[in-house]
Amino acid sequence: MSKTVTKKYFGTDGIRGRANEHPMDAEMAMKVGRAIVSRARQLRPDRKRPRVLVGKDTRLSCYMLETALSSGVASMGGEAILTGPVPTPAVSFLITSMRADMGVMISASHNPYTDNGIKVFNPDGIKLTDADEAELEALIDGNGDLERPAPDQIGRMRRIDDVLGRYIVELK
């Protein structure tokens, strides 16, 4: 018999909501970034600086959420790899292609432009299970308790160009 997992933020496809309102605000995005790095360290303890691939669509709110989420990643000593606007399947592919530890797509797909969402992927480029999402939520809610690195161990963000070229080659 399967255990029912109760989640607070994650719905059927990530965390979703009206942009700049809880839970789809910059504060939540930063907490998600921190929690992802903490979770990545649990999954791959040998990785010194967890790599988190961050994709987005073209909604205005994506710039705010991308910056906040990436800041959360860097504050935990991770490396945020920013792809710029890409389709969601590209993020899934690029996570494995670039050997990232986790990945995120900031998009609300077909929902109104005033909405947005954060969808998290595991190291295999697959959407998180309900149990994984519940663990991430626990880290989000306990965010102040996450051990942050020393100032000389803070992470970084970098934007990569031409990721769509890599994705298109894969599609061909």
Side-chain angles (χ1 to χ4, degrees):
M1 182 173 194
S2 66
K3 180 181 170 187
T4 303
V5 178
T6 303
K7 295 180 289 179
K8 191 168 155 183
Y9 307 118
F10 284 88
T12 56
D13 203 19
I15 301 170
R16 298 212 176 224
R18 191 166 166 84
N20 214 25
E21 294 177 6
H22 186 73
M24 198 43 48
D25 55 22
E27 291 83 2
M28 176 61 81
M30 184 174 274
K31 287 180 180 183
V32 169
R34 288 178 180 151
I36 287 171
V37 172
S38 182
R39 182 70 179 129
R41 281 204 168 99
Q42 292 170 356
L43 294 173
R44 292 186 173 167
D46 57 317
R47 183 68 72 113
K48 180 181 176 185
R49 184 178 305 280
R51 300 173 76 195
V52 180
L53 190 95
V54 182
K56 66 179 179 182
D57 69 16
T58 58
R59 294 164 198 267
L60 180 61
S61 58
C62 284
Y63 294 92
M64 169 188 71
L65 297 170
E66 174 193 53
T67 301
L69 191 138
S70 300
S71 294
V73 168
S75 76
M76 291 295 292
E79 178 182 6
I81 304 167
L82 312 178
T83 67
V86 293
T88 301
V91 170
S92 184
F93 163 73
L94 290 166
I95 291 166
T96 57
S97 171
M98 299 185 73
R99 289 174 278 183
D101 298 297
M102 300 280 282
V104 175
M105 180 64 185
I106 303 170
S107 172
S109 304
H110 59 279
N111 291 311
Y113 75 95
T114 54
D115 293 354
N116 218 322
I118 299 173
K119 184 174 184 175
V120 183
F121 297 90
N122 72 17
D124 297 320
I126 298 169
K127 179 182 162 186
L128 298 183
T129 66
D130 286 343
D132 290 334
E133 288 176 344
E135 286 184 35
L136 210 55
E137 284 190 356
L139 291 168
I140 290 167
D141 282 343
N143 211 283
D145 300 333
L146 296 178
E147 186 175 328
R148 296 189 189 153
D152 62 338
Q153 297 299 311
I154 290 173
R156 67 190 109 217
M157 299 171 233
R158 67 181 168 107
R159 187 163 306 277
I160 54 174
D161 295 321
D162 197 32
V163 292
L164 283 180
R166 183 185 288 229
Y167 179 58
I168 289 168
V169 167
E170 174 65 16
L171 291 176
K172 288 179 180 178

